[in-house]
Amino acid sequence: MNLSIKESYSRPFEFIPQTVLWTIKHRDSEKNNDNLIGINTSIILNLTSLVESFNKELMISWIKNHLSESEAEPEIENDDLPNCDISMGEFLLERLTDELILEIESSEWNKQLKLFTKITNNEVKNIVEQETLNGMNQLFKYRNIITHGNKLSLVEWNYDNKTSERLEPNKFEAIFTFLKQQNLVSGKLKYVKSNIYELTFSNEVIDYFIVTINKYLDQVKESFDISVEINKPLFELKI
């Protein structure tokens, strides 16, 4: 019995850019603040799905491309040598490759950064500019807060007529500090006449992350030498 298996697939990064652009077009005409918060949180989820699916396709395409380049028949000096070692070597290579691809397919952002280093023997900080990488890390902290349904709390201390404030959970405090550094929010939260979500999920914040993602895509594709011949959807991806 002859068995033939052929797989065809697609990933979210192929359709999400159009979805995000369509959403932004309608978002920019929306006046209700609650609706704007909901729209922008949904954009965050779409953006992070785009990035993670892009990373998976990128690494797998890179691996398969390099394997295809090394598939030349090995030279055997002694015709009397058994070919069992060659067959076993091919089997082990295929098995290890399959395991690596399965690891990539089940990975999320933090794991993917480690896999980049594992595959290319190069640290991510040497692949992506530090400012871009910082922005991407903050983006995924945003995503985690949304997907896990965390509350955002403003906590104020008053001691000896001095006040200080912080956001909780602590992870979001780091995000807020980052947004201040990027001049996307300013001042103390207690003086802002809007809720925390409205301030930190503003149109300006979301648009900043879109710019950051496009920088990330360009820098990673260049580092991995992705061409239109290797993977056209990856090569052309941009929001």
Side-chain angles (χ1 to χ4, degrees):
M1 180 179 68
N2 293 325
L3 176 64
S4 177
I5 300 176
K6 183 178 180 180
E7 179 188 23
S8 60
Y9 68 92
S10 60
R11 294 190 190 274
F13 75 80
E14 297 178 46
F15 59 81
I16 284 179
Q18 290 78 15
T19 301
V20 169
L21 293 176
W22 181 89
T23 305
I24 288 175
K25 179 180 178 181
H26 291 270
R27 178 201 70 180
D28 291 343
S29 61
E30 178 59 54
K31 304 301 180 183
N32 183 282
N33 286 334
D34 288 340
N35 289 344
L36 283 172
I37 295 170
I39 291 170
N40 283 330
T41 54
S42 70
I43 292 175
I44 288 287
L45 296 177
N46 273 304
L47 292 176
T48 51
S49 176
L50 178 151
V51 171
E52 288 186 337
S53 65
F54 163 82
N55 287 343
K56 292 176 183 182
E57 184 69 14
L58 175 79
M59 288 187 280
I60 292 173
S61 293
W62 191 85
I63 290 169
K64 290 182 176 179
N65 182 60
H66 280 269
L67 285 176
S68 65
E69 291 176 351
S70 61
E71 283 181 350
E73 290 294 329
E75 295 182 3
I76 302 177
E77 296 180 359
N78 188 344
D79 292 338
D80 295 330
L81 287 175
N83 62 5
C84 60
D85 289 340
I86 298 174
S87 299
M88 180 57 71
E90 291 174 349
F91 168 76
L92 288 173
L93 178 60
E94 182 177 348
R95 180 176 176 181
L96 290 172
T97 302
D98 288 344
E99 289 179 356
L100 179 57
I101 289 176
L102 285 174
E103 187 177 6
I104 292 171
E105 288 287 10
S106 63
S107 65
E108 43 73 40
W109 170 251
N110 289 324
K111 177 66 174 180
Q112 288 172 353
L113 297 185
K114 296 177 182 177
L115 284 169
F116 278 162
T117 303
K118 181 177 182 179
I119 292 169
T120 66
N121 198 31
N122 193 6
E123 293 187 47
V124 177
K125 65 181 181 181
N126 298 325
I127 296 175
V128 179
E129 293 177 1
Q130 189 61 49
E131 182 181 356
T132 303
L133 186 58
N134 286 342
M136 295 298 294
N137 284 327
Q138 299 306 321
L139 171 68
F140 278 90
K141 289 180 182 178
Y142 256 89
R143 190 274 303 273
N144 292 340
I145 287 172
I146 297 170
T147 55
H148 296 302
N150 293 334
K151 69 176 182 179
L152 298 183
S153 301
L154 174 62
V155 181
E156 295 183 61
W157 286 272
N158 192 321
Y159 181 75
D160 287 343
N161 295 322
K162 295 181 180 180
T163 61
S164 62
E165 64 178 11
R166 67 174 293 118
L167 283 172
E168 293 185 353
N170 292 340
K171 186 179 293 185
F172 203 75
E173 174 69 18
I175 295 175
F176 189 69
T177 300
F178 176 81
L179 296 180
K180 282 186 174 181
Q181 293 171 348
Q182 302 301 318
N183 296 317
L184 293 168
V185 296
S186 60
K188 288 186 176 292
L189 280 174
K190 66 179 182 179
Y191 298 133
V192 178
K193 294 182 179 180
S194 60
N195 67 43
I196 300 171
Y197 269 104
E198 184 179 339
L199 180 67
T200 52
F201 287 85
S202 67
N203 293 357
E204 291 76 18
V205 170
I206 303 307
D207 293 347
Y208 164 81
F209 282 127
I210 290 175
V211 171
T212 300
I213 287 175
N214 280 327
K215 290 179 181 178
Y216 171 82
L217 296 176
D218 289 341
Q219 292 165 19
V220 172
K221 283 187 285 187
E222 181 180 356
S223 177
F224 276 75
D225 292 325
I226 293 297
S227 65
V228 67
E229 291 79 17
I230 294 175
N231 192 313
K232 184 177 179 181
L234 278 182
F235 181 77
E236 296 179 344
L237 180 61
K238 197 174 186 69
I239 304 173

